[in-house]
Amino acid sequence: MRLTHIAAAGSALVFATACAGNGDGGDVDPGDAPEELTIWTMGGATEESEEFFEELRDEWSQDYPDTSLNVEYIPWDEAQDSITNALAGGDAPDVLEAGNDQVSNWAVQGAILDLDEYVADWDEAEDINQEAMDYGSYENTQYSVPLHLAVRTLIYRADWLEDLGHDAPETWDELVEVAEDIEDEHGVLGFGAPTDFTNGIASFIWSNGGEIATSEDGAEWEGQLTDPATVEAIEFYTDLTNDFSPVYTGENELIAQADLANGELGMYIDGNWAFDEIADQAEDPDMVDNLGAAPIPGVDGMAPAFAGGSNLTVFSTADDPDFAFELLSTWASKDMAATWAEYTGFFPAYPELLDEPQFQEDEVAQASAEQLENQRYFPATPNWTDADFEGKIIPGAVLDIADGDNAEERLAEANEELTEVLNQETD
């Protein structure tokens, strides 16, 4: 069953009127509101996003009718340059959407404000997923508030599994069994395990009780890649690569996505957003009706998954930070977060909202909502970008192990590098 990413504008979740003082306990005077506030939202403008921001303007104007909202779209690949230029004195936003894994980076660079006092006075903050809220902080200071979350799940050919008499696998043993049966019956790859896929690899590590790196109370980070549980998980993952998808060594999940789209793969890990991309690549777009989604299999049940997503924060140069947070907390409020989720196809950061019909009546959405019950996060340090996106420390080690290197020896090297990079000084 395919997830409908963009819901109709007539929402089943009718949002309530926002109140003045939404964010800071009612201390702001609407008469002091500025003439304009600027939002930077990531990505490109779509019909759906434009409709959402019109709803946000309507909501905002009920308390601040004399303040216009200027919405600017920043492509994700231009975010770094745009924010850097804004810090240097260029045009800057008041409210900024940022990837939740980039919050520490912008905090270190002085691009975003300390929101501790604002969040402490915002009643709805206590209803937000607290792990997601914590990931929006850096060195025990709250710099951002979660806007939405997104997790990866197992995507599979439901029609094939049904014919084989299998439900979606829930454990590692079942994953291997189903992958073998797919290969035997259909002569294609059973499960896609690309080596350049930290998000997927991490789920296997966490499921086995391993960690990537740990830090106690802001102390130095210690890599945990030599932990026996981590080593065992990575060996299991590389066995999956070699046994079921050796062509994915050195590759990421996009190659698996393309293979699934055209009947060359039975299962792989990806996000609910991939369903549209699969349909676009398929010779027969209707094949997505034969796909299913389920939580990622772990050792004994659902594995943890990295919860990516976006956070909202106040830019450090905002002229009216009180009103900027008022806008932030209106956008990130429980009611508006539900509306945002309907337009974007992502998931609200309020756990109670995941029980709403829109997340439970569709199989794909329900799988993601269930997976969000077991979420984890990467090290909350600006150096994670250098370690993973730039250095590819974990993917590099996994690639070498899949190619035959001794796992303990290679992971010892990777662990030393990871610890050094995570603890390097930041500007």
PDB file of all heavy atoms in Angstrom, residues 203-237:
ATOM      1  N   SER A 203      21.514   1.147  12.496  1.00  0.00           N
ATOM      2  CA  SER A 203      20.409   0.377  13.069  1.00  0.00           C
ATOM      3  C   SER A 203      20.864  -1.010  13.490  1.00  0.00           C
ATOM      4  O   SER A 203      20.414  -1.546  14.523  1.00  0.00           O
ATOM      5  CB  SER A 203      19.265   0.267  12.052  1.00  0.00           C
ATOM      6  OG  SER A 203      18.564   1.493  11.944  1.00  0.00           O
ATOM      7  N   PHE A 204      21.749  -1.616  12.723  1.00  0.00           N
ATOM      8  CA  PHE A 204      22.253  -2.937  13.078  1.00  0.00           C
ATOM      9  C   PHE A 204      23.150  -2.851  14.317  1.00  0.00           C
ATOM     10  O   PHE A 204      23.098  -3.719  15.192  1.00  0.00           O
ATOM     11  CB  PHE A 204      22.991  -3.552  11.888  1.00  0.00           C
ATOM     12  CG  PHE A 204      22.069  -4.016  10.799  1.00  0.00           C
ATOM     13  CD1 PHE A 204      21.560  -3.126   9.859  1.00  0.00           C
ATOM     14  CD2 PHE A 204      21.698  -5.349  10.715  1.00  0.00           C
ATOM     15  CE1 PHE A 204      20.693  -3.544   8.863  1.00  0.00           C
ATOM     16  CE2 PHE A 204      20.831  -5.791   9.714  1.00  0.00           C
ATOM     17  CZ  PHE A 204      20.322  -4.873   8.791  1.00  0.00           C
ATOM     18  N   ILE A 205      23.973  -1.810  14.388  1.00  0.00           N
ATOM     19  CA  ILE A 205      24.839  -1.628  15.560  1.00  0.00           C
ATOM     20  C   ILE A 205      23.995  -1.456  16.819  1.00  0.00           C
ATOM     21  O   ILE A 205      24.199  -2.135  17.829  1.00  0.00           O
ATOM     22  CB  ILE A 205      25.755  -0.405  15.351  1.00  0.00           C
ATOM     23  CG1 ILE A 205      26.771  -0.679  14.223  1.00  0.00           C
ATOM     24  CG2 ILE A 205      26.489  -0.052  16.649  1.00  0.00           C
ATOM     25  CD1 ILE A 205      27.592   0.537  13.824  1.00  0.00           C
ATOM     26  N   TRP A 206      23.039  -0.532  16.763  1.00  0.00           N
ATOM     27  CA  TRP A 206      22.212  -0.247  17.939  1.00  0.00           C
ATOM     28  C   TRP A 206      21.366  -1.461  18.336  1.00  0.00           C
ATOM     29  O   TRP A 206      21.163  -1.722  19.519  1.00  0.00           O
ATOM     30  CB  TRP A 206      21.325   0.958  17.670  1.00  0.00           C
ATOM     31  CG  TRP A 206      22.063   2.254  17.541  1.00  0.00           C
ATOM     32  CD1 TRP A 206      23.195   2.625  18.204  1.00  0.00           C
ATOM     33  CD2 TRP A 206      21.718   3.363  16.706  1.00  0.00           C
ATOM     34  NE1 TRP A 206      23.577   3.896  17.825  1.00  0.00           N
ATOM     35  CE2 TRP A 206      22.697   4.374  16.910  1.00  0.00           C
ATOM     36  CE3 TRP A 206      20.678   3.612  15.795  1.00  0.00           C
ATOM     37  CZ2 TRP A 206      22.653   5.601  16.256  1.00  0.00           C
ATOM     38  CZ3 TRP A 206      20.640   4.834  15.141  1.00  0.00           C
ATOM     39  CH2 TRP A 206      21.619   5.817  15.366  1.00  0.00           C
ATOM     40  N   SER A 207      20.872  -2.189  17.345  1.00  0.00           N
ATOM     41  CA  SER A 207      20.045  -3.354  17.640  1.00  0.00           C
ATOM     42  C   SER A 207      20.803  -4.402  18.433  1.00  0.00           C
ATOM     43  O   SER A 207      20.231  -5.103  19.271  1.00  0.00           O
ATOM     44  CB  SER A 207      19.518  -3.971  16.342  1.00  0.00           C
ATOM     45  OG  SER A 207      18.869  -5.199  16.588  1.00  0.00           O
ATOM     46  N   ASN A 208      22.096  -4.489  18.188  1.00  0.00           N
ATOM     47  CA  ASN A 208      22.910  -5.505  18.853  1.00  0.00           C
ATOM     48  C   ASN A 208      23.470  -5.015  20.182  1.00  0.00           C
ATOM     49  O   ASN A 208      24.296  -5.691  20.798  1.00  0.00           O
ATOM     50  CB  ASN A 208      24.055  -5.930  17.933  1.00  0.00           C
ATOM     51  CG  ASN A 208      24.585  -7.312  18.249  1.00  0.00           C
ATOM     52  OD1 ASN A 208      23.823  -8.234  18.536  1.00  0.00           O
ATOM     53  ND2 ASN A 208      25.902  -7.466  18.188  1.00  0.00           N
ATOM     54  N   GLY A 209      23.043  -3.827  20.615  1.00  0.00           N
ATOM     55  CA  GLY A 209      23.535  -3.280  21.874  1.00  0.00           C
ATOM     56  C   GLY A 209      24.826  -2.514  21.747  1.00  0.00           C
ATOM     57  O   GLY A 209      25.443  -2.142  22.767  1.00  0.00           O
ATOM     58  N   GLY A 210      25.250  -2.249  20.514  1.00  0.00           N
ATOM     59  CA  GLY A 210      26.472  -1.492  20.300  1.00  0.00           C
ATOM     60  C   GLY A 210      26.212   0.002  20.226  1.00  0.00           C
ATOM     61  O   GLY A 210      25.067   0.462  20.216  1.00  0.00           O
ATOM     62  N   GLU A 211      27.284   0.757  20.157  1.00  0.00           N
ATOM     63  CA  GLU A 211      27.215   2.213  20.032  1.00  0.00           C
ATOM     64  C   GLU A 211      28.227   2.660  18.985  1.00  0.00           C
ATOM     65  O   GLU A 211      29.142   1.920  18.622  1.00  0.00           O
ATOM     66  CB  GLU A 211      27.532   2.896  21.364  1.00  0.00           C
ATOM     67  CG  GLU A 211      26.552   2.613  22.485  1.00  0.00           C
ATOM     68  CD  GLU A 211      25.228   3.338  22.302  1.00  0.00           C
ATOM     69  OE1 GLU A 211      25.144   4.210  21.411  1.00  0.00           O
ATOM     70  OE2 GLU A 211      24.279   3.034  23.049  1.00  0.00           O
ATOM     71  N   ILE A 212      28.051   3.879  18.517  1.00  0.00           N
ATOM     72  CA  ILE A 212      29.016   4.482  17.599  1.00  0.00           C
ATOM     73  C   ILE A 212      30.056   5.270  18.381  1.00  0.00           C
ATOM     74  O   ILE A 212      31.255   5.122  18.183  1.00  0.00           O
ATOM     75  CB  ILE A 212      28.290   5.377  16.577  1.00  0.00           C
ATOM     76  CG1 ILE A 212      27.456   4.495  15.639  1.00  0.00           C
ATOM     77  CG2 ILE A 212      29.280   6.223  15.782  1.00  0.00           C
ATOM     78  CD1 ILE A 212      26.546   5.261  14.707  1.00  0.00           C
ATOM     79  N   ALA A 213      29.589   6.131  19.278  1.00  0.00           N
ATOM     80  CA  ALA A 213      30.473   6.908  20.146  1.00  0.00           C
ATOM     81  C   ALA A 213      29.652   7.398  21.320  1.00  0.00           C
ATOM     82  O   ALA A 213      28.442   7.597  21.217  1.00  0.00           O
ATOM     83  CB  ALA A 213      31.090   8.081  19.398  1.00  0.00           C
ATOM     84  N   THR A 214      30.301   7.601  22.462  1.00  0.00           N
ATOM     85  CA  THR A 214      29.608   8.068  23.655  1.00  0.00           C
ATOM     86  C   THR A 214      30.375   9.219  24.283  1.00  0.00           C
ATOM     87  O   THR A 214      31.592   9.359  24.110  1.00  0.00           O
ATOM     88  CB  THR A 214      29.448   6.939  24.694  1.00  0.00           C
ATOM     89  OG1 THR A 214      30.743   6.401  25.003  1.00  0.00           O
ATOM     90  CG2 THR A 214      28.559   5.829  24.158  1.00  0.00           C
ATOM     91  N   SER A 215      29.622  10.028  25.021  1.00  0.00           N
ATOM     92  CA  SER A 215      30.215  11.157  25.742  1.00  0.00           C
ATOM     93  C   SER A 215      29.420  11.358  27.018  1.00  0.00           C
ATOM     94  O   SER A 215      28.181  11.345  26.997  1.00  0.00           O
ATOM     95  CB  SER A 215      30.180  12.422  24.897  1.00  0.00           C
ATOM     96  OG  SER A 215      30.661  13.548  25.629  1.00  0.00           O
ATOM     97  N   GLU A 216      30.090  11.541  28.127  1.00  0.00           N
ATOM     98  CA  GLU A 216      29.420  11.728  29.412  1.00  0.00           C
ATOM     99  C   GLU A 216      29.452  13.195  29.805  1.00  0.00           C
ATOM    100  O   GLU A 216      30.516  13.777  30.019  1.00  0.00           O
ATOM    101  CB  GLU A 216      30.104  10.883  30.501  1.00  0.00           C
ATOM    102  CG  GLU A 216      30.012   9.386  30.281  1.00  0.00           C
ATOM    103  CD  GLU A 216      28.594   8.860  30.407  1.00  0.00           C
ATOM    104  OE1 GLU A 216      27.787   9.522  31.086  1.00  0.00           O
ATOM    105  OE2 GLU A 216      28.302   7.799  29.816  1.00  0.00           O
ATOM    106  N   ASP A 217      28.260  13.803  29.881  1.00  0.00           N
ATOM    107  CA  ASP A 217      28.112  15.170  30.385  1.00  0.00           C
ATOM    108  C   ASP A 217      29.042  16.156  29.692  1.00  0.00           C
ATOM    109  O   ASP A 217      29.701  16.993  30.323  1.00  0.00           O
ATOM    110  CB  ASP A 217      28.367  15.212  31.903  1.00  0.00           C
ATOM    111  CG  ASP A 217      27.368  14.366  32.672  1.00  0.00           C
ATOM    112  OD1 ASP A 217      26.197  14.314  32.257  1.00  0.00           O
ATOM    113  OD2 ASP A 217      27.769  13.746  33.675  1.00  0.00           O
ATOM    114  N   GLY A 218      29.089  16.075  28.378  1.00  0.00           N
ATOM    115  CA  GLY A 218      29.871  17.041  27.611  1.00  0.00           C
ATOM    116  C   GLY A 218      31.357  16.770  27.604  1.00  0.00           C
ATOM    117  O   GLY A 218      32.141  17.586  27.105  1.00  0.00           O
ATOM    118  N   ALA A 219      31.772  15.629  28.154  1.00  0.00           N
ATOM    119  CA  ALA A 219      33.197  15.292  28.143  1.00  0.00           C
ATOM    120  C   ALA A 219      33.593  14.835  26.742  1.00  0.00           C
ATOM    121  O   ALA A 219      32.796  14.846  25.813  1.00  0.00           O
ATOM    122  CB  ALA A 219      33.481  14.197  29.164  1.00  0.00           C
ATOM    123  N   GLU A 220      34.849  14.445  26.605  1.00  0.00           N
ATOM    124  CA  GLU A 220      35.330  14.022  25.297  1.00  0.00           C
ATOM    125  C   GLU A 220      34.546  12.819  24.784  1.00  0.00           C
ATOM    126  O   GLU A 220      34.075  11.987  25.554  1.00  0.00           O
ATOM    127  CB  GLU A 220      36.823  13.679  25.362  1.00  0.00           C
ATOM    128  CG  GLU A 220      37.732  14.882  25.476  1.00  0.00           C
ATOM    129  CD  GLU A 220      39.172  14.513  25.203  1.00  0.00           C
ATOM    130  OE1 GLU A 220      39.476  13.297  25.133  1.00  0.00           O
ATOM    131  OE2 GLU A 220      39.996  15.437  25.043  1.00  0.00           O
ATOM    132  N   TRP A 221      34.437  12.757  23.465  1.00  0.00           N
ATOM    133  CA  TRP A 221      33.776  11.620  22.826  1.00  0.00           C
ATOM    134  C   TRP A 221      34.736  10.437  22.781  1.00  0.00           C
ATOM    135  O   TRP A 221      35.933  10.603  22.544  1.00  0.00           O
ATOM    136  CB  TRP A 221      33.341  11.986  21.415  1.00  0.00           C
ATOM    137  CG  TRP A 221      32.166  12.913  21.390  1.00  0.00           C
ATOM    138  CD1 TRP A 221      32.187  14.275  21.337  1.00  0.00           C
ATOM    139  CD2 TRP A 221      30.782  12.535  21.447  1.00  0.00           C
ATOM    140  NE1 TRP A 221      30.905  14.783  21.356  1.00  0.00           N
ATOM    141  CE2 TRP A 221      30.025  13.727  21.417  1.00  0.00           C
ATOM    142  CE3 TRP A 221      30.119  11.321  21.513  1.00  0.00           C
ATOM    143  CZ2 TRP A 221      28.637  13.724  21.455  1.00  0.00           C
ATOM    144  CZ3 TRP A 221      28.737  11.304  21.552  1.00  0.00           C
ATOM    145  CH2 TRP A 221      28.008  12.501  21.528  1.00  0.00           C
ATOM    146  N   GLU A 222      34.175   9.255  22.989  1.00  0.00           N
ATOM    147  CA  GLU A 222      34.944   8.017  22.882  1.00  0.00           C
ATOM    148  C   GLU A 222      34.284   7.136  21.826  1.00  0.00           C
ATOM    149  O   GLU A 222      33.118   6.760  21.963  1.00  0.00           O
ATOM    150  CB  GLU A 222      34.975   7.270  24.218  1.00  0.00           C
ATOM    151  CG  GLU A 222      35.866   7.889  25.272  1.00  0.00           C
ATOM    152  CD  GLU A 222      37.351   7.714  24.960  1.00  0.00           C
ATOM    153  OE1 GLU A 222      37.691   6.771  24.196  1.00  0.00           O
ATOM    154  OE2 GLU A 222      38.165   8.513  25.457  1.00  0.00           O
ATOM    155  N   GLY A 223      35.022   6.833  20.769  1.00  0.00           N
ATOM    156  CA  GLY A 223      34.500   5.919  19.775  1.00  0.00           C
ATOM    157  C   GLY A 223      34.237   4.551  20.377  1.00  0.00           C
ATOM    158  O   GLY A 223      34.968   4.099  21.264  1.00  0.00           O
ATOM    159  N   GLN A 224      33.179   3.888  19.901  1.00  0.00           N
ATOM    160  CA  GLN A 224      32.797   2.581  20.435  1.00  0.00           C
ATOM    161  C   GLN A 224      32.779   1.510  19.344  1.00  0.00           C
ATOM    162  O   GLN A 224      32.109   0.491  19.487  1.00  0.00           O
ATOM    163  CB  GLN A 224      31.416   2.672  21.092  1.00  0.00           C
ATOM    164  CG  GLN A 224      31.328   3.641  22.246  1.00  0.00           C
ATOM    165  CD  GLN A 224      32.199   3.232  23.428  1.00  0.00           C
ATOM    166  OE1 GLN A 224      32.405   2.041  23.679  1.00  0.00           O
ATOM    167  NE2 GLN A 224      32.739   4.208  24.143  1.00  0.00           N
ATOM    168  N   LEU A 225      33.537   1.748  18.284  1.00  0.00           N
ATOM    169  CA  LEU A 225      33.520   0.803  17.166  1.00  0.00           C
ATOM    170  C   LEU A 225      34.255  -0.496  17.473  1.00  0.00           C
ATOM    171  O   LEU A 225      34.109  -1.474  16.735  1.00  0.00           O
ATOM    172  CB  LEU A 225      34.133   1.453  15.919  1.00  0.00           C
ATOM    173  CG  LEU A 225      33.457   2.736  15.418  1.00  0.00           C
ATOM    174  CD1 LEU A 225      34.122   3.219  14.135  1.00  0.00           C
ATOM    175  CD2 LEU A 225      31.963   2.520  15.211  1.00  0.00           C
ATOM    176  N   THR A 226      35.026  -0.517  18.569  1.00  0.00           N
ATOM    177  CA  THR A 226      35.720  -1.752  18.936  1.00  0.00           C
ATOM    178  C   THR A 226      34.929  -2.570  19.951  1.00  0.00           C
ATOM    179  O   THR A 226      35.368  -3.673  20.322  1.00  0.00           O
ATOM    180  CB  THR A 226      37.112  -1.444  19.524  1.00  0.00           C
ATOM    181  OG1 THR A 226      36.963  -0.524  20.621  1.00  0.00           O
ATOM    182  CG2 THR A 226      38.009  -0.824  18.461  1.00  0.00           C
ATOM    183  N   ASP A 227      33.800  -2.050  20.408  1.00  0.00           N
ATOM    184  CA  ASP A 227      32.950  -2.814  21.310  1.00  0.00           C
ATOM    185  C   ASP A 227      32.547  -4.119  20.619  1.00  0.00           C
ATOM    186  O   ASP A 227      32.178  -4.119  19.443  1.00  0.00           O
ATOM    187  CB  ASP A 227      31.705  -1.995  21.651  1.00  0.00           C
ATOM    188  CG  ASP A 227      30.802  -2.697  22.653  1.00  0.00           C
ATOM    189  OD1 ASP A 227      30.145  -3.679  22.255  1.00  0.00           O
ATOM    190  OD2 ASP A 227      30.746  -2.249  23.807  1.00  0.00           O
ATOM    191  N   PRO A 228      32.634  -5.248  21.301  1.00  0.00           N
ATOM    192  CA  PRO A 228      32.304  -6.525  20.665  1.00  0.00           C
ATOM    193  C   PRO A 228      30.924  -6.551  20.028  1.00  0.00           C
ATOM    194  O   PRO A 228      30.730  -7.178  18.973  1.00  0.00           O
ATOM    195  CB  PRO A 228      32.393  -7.531  21.824  1.00  0.00           C
ATOM    196  CG  PRO A 228      33.390  -6.919  22.760  1.00  0.00           C
ATOM    197  CD  PRO A 228      33.159  -5.441  22.676  1.00  0.00           C
ATOM    198  N   ALA A 229      29.953  -5.868  20.648  1.00  0.00           N
ATOM    199  CA  ALA A 229      28.606  -5.840  20.076  1.00  0.00           C
ATOM    200  C   ALA A 229      28.592  -5.082  18.756  1.00  0.00           C
ATOM    201  O   ALA A 229      27.886  -5.462  17.808  1.00  0.00           O
ATOM    202  CB  ALA A 229      27.635  -5.196  21.062  1.00  0.00           C
ATOM    203  N   THR A 230      29.378  -4.003  18.667  1.00  0.00           N
ATOM    204  CA  THR A 230      29.466  -3.229  17.426  1.00  0.00           C
ATOM    205  C   THR A 230      30.169  -4.037  16.346  1.00  0.00           C
ATOM    206  O   THR A 230      29.729  -4.081  15.188  1.00  0.00           O
ATOM    207  CB  THR A 230      30.205  -1.902  17.675  1.00  0.00           C
ATOM    208  OG1 THR A 230      29.522  -1.160  18.689  1.00  0.00           O
ATOM    209  CG2 THR A 230      30.283  -1.074  16.404  1.00  0.00           C
ATOM    210  N   VAL A 231      31.270  -4.684  16.720  1.00  0.00           N
ATOM    211  CA  VAL A 231      32.017  -5.508  15.758  1.00  0.00           C
ATOM    212  C   VAL A 231      31.123  -6.612  15.204  1.00  0.00           C
ATOM    213  O   VAL A 231      31.071  -6.848  13.988  1.00  0.00           O
ATOM    214  CB  VAL A 231      33.276  -6.104  16.413  1.00  0.00           C
ATOM    215  CG1 VAL A 231      33.980  -7.054  15.436  1.00  0.00           C
ATOM    216  CG2 VAL A 231      34.232  -4.999  16.859  1.00  0.00           C
ATOM    217  N   GLU A 232      30.405  -7.289  16.094  1.00  0.00           N
ATOM    218  CA  GLU A 232      29.535  -8.383  15.665  1.00  0.00           C
ATOM    219  C   GLU A 232      28.459  -7.881  14.708  1.00  0.00           C
ATOM    220  O   GLU A 232      28.146  -8.535  13.700  1.00  0.00           O
ATOM    221  CB  GLU A 232      28.893  -9.037  16.885  1.00  0.00           C
ATOM    222  CG  GLU A 232      28.005 -10.225  16.541  1.00  0.00           C
ATOM    223  CD  GLU A 232      27.386 -10.847  17.771  1.00  0.00           C
ATOM    224  OE1 GLU A 232      26.858 -10.103  18.629  1.00  0.00           O
ATOM    225  OE2 GLU A 232      27.412 -12.086  17.884  1.00  0.00           O
ATOM    226  N   ALA A 233      27.884  -6.720  15.007  1.00  0.00           N
ATOM    227  CA  ALA A 233      26.829  -6.175  14.153  1.00  0.00           C
ATOM    228  C   ALA A 233      27.362  -5.819  12.771  1.00  0.00           C
ATOM    229  O   ALA A 233      26.705  -6.081  11.750  1.00  0.00           O
ATOM    230  CB  ALA A 233      26.201  -4.942  14.811  1.00  0.00           C
ATOM    231  N   ILE A 234      28.538  -5.232  12.720  1.00  0.00           N
ATOM    232  CA  ILE A 234      29.106  -4.859  11.433  1.00  0.00           C
ATOM    233  C   ILE A 234      29.498  -6.096  10.638  1.00  0.00           C
ATOM    234  O   ILE A 234      29.327  -6.143   9.405  1.00  0.00           O
ATOM    235  CB  ILE A 234      30.298  -3.901  11.633  1.00  0.00           C
ATOM    236  CG1 ILE A 234      29.768  -2.526  12.101  1.00  0.00           C
ATOM    237  CG2 ILE A 234      31.125  -3.761  10.348  1.00  0.00           C
ATOM    238  CD1 ILE A 234      30.833  -1.505  12.404  1.00  0.00           C
ATOM    239  N   GLU A 235      29.987  -7.115  11.307  1.00  0.00           N
ATOM    240  CA  GLU A 235      30.285  -8.369  10.602  1.00  0.00           C
ATOM    241  C   GLU A 235      28.998  -8.970  10.031  1.00  0.00           C
ATOM    242  O   GLU A 235      28.999  -9.493   8.905  1.00  0.00           O
ATOM    243  CB  GLU A 235      30.972  -9.350  11.539  1.00  0.00           C
ATOM    244  CG  GLU A 235      32.409  -8.987  11.862  1.00  0.00           C
ATOM    245  CD  GLU A 235      33.075 -10.014  12.745  1.00  0.00           C
ATOM    246  OE1 GLU A 235      32.450 -10.421  13.754  1.00  0.00           O
ATOM    247  OE2 GLU A 235      34.220 -10.416  12.453  1.00  0.00           O
ATOM    248  N   PHE A 236      27.922  -8.922  10.799  1.00  0.00           N
ATOM    249  CA  PHE A 236      26.654  -9.445  10.294  1.00  0.00           C
ATOM    250  C   PHE A 236      26.197  -8.640   9.082  1.00  0.00           C
ATOM    251  O   PHE A 236      25.751  -9.210   8.075  1.00  0.00           O
ATOM    252  CB  PHE A 236      25.587  -9.400  11.384  1.00  0.00           C
ATOM    253  CG  PHE A 236      24.232  -9.880  10.929  1.00  0.00           C
ATOM    254  CD1 PHE A 236      23.981 -11.237  10.776  1.00  0.00           C
ATOM    255  CD2 PHE A 236      23.229  -8.974  10.617  1.00  0.00           C
ATOM    256  CE1 PHE A 236      22.740 -11.692  10.340  1.00  0.00           C
ATOM    257  CE2 PHE A 236      21.982  -9.413  10.186  1.00  0.00           C
ATOM    258  CZ  PHE A 236      21.733 -10.769  10.044  1.00  0.00           C
ATOM    259  N   TYR A 237      26.350  -7.312   9.155  1.00  0.00           N
ATOM    260  CA  TYR A 237      25.917  -6.461   8.041  1.00  0.00           C
ATOM    261  C   TYR A 237      26.743  -6.738   6.787  1.00  0.00           C
ATOM    262  O   TYR A 237      26.192  -6.837   5.676  1.00  0.00           O
ATOM    263  CB  TYR A 237      26.019  -4.987   8.426  1.00  0.00           C
ATOM    264  CG  TYR A 237      25.427  -4.051   7.398  1.00  0.00           C
ATOM    265  CD1 TYR A 237      24.081  -3.721   7.425  1.00  0.00           C
ATOM    266  CD2 TYR A 237      26.218  -3.510   6.380  1.00  0.00           C
ATOM    267  CE1 TYR A 237      23.520  -2.872   6.464  1.00  0.00           C
ATOM    268  CE2 TYR A 237      25.670  -2.659   5.421  1.00  0.00           C
ATOM    269  CZ  TYR A 237      24.325  -2.348   5.474  1.00  0.00           C
ATOM    270  OH  TYR A 237      23.781  -1.511   4.521  1.00  0.00           O
TER     271      TYR A 237
END
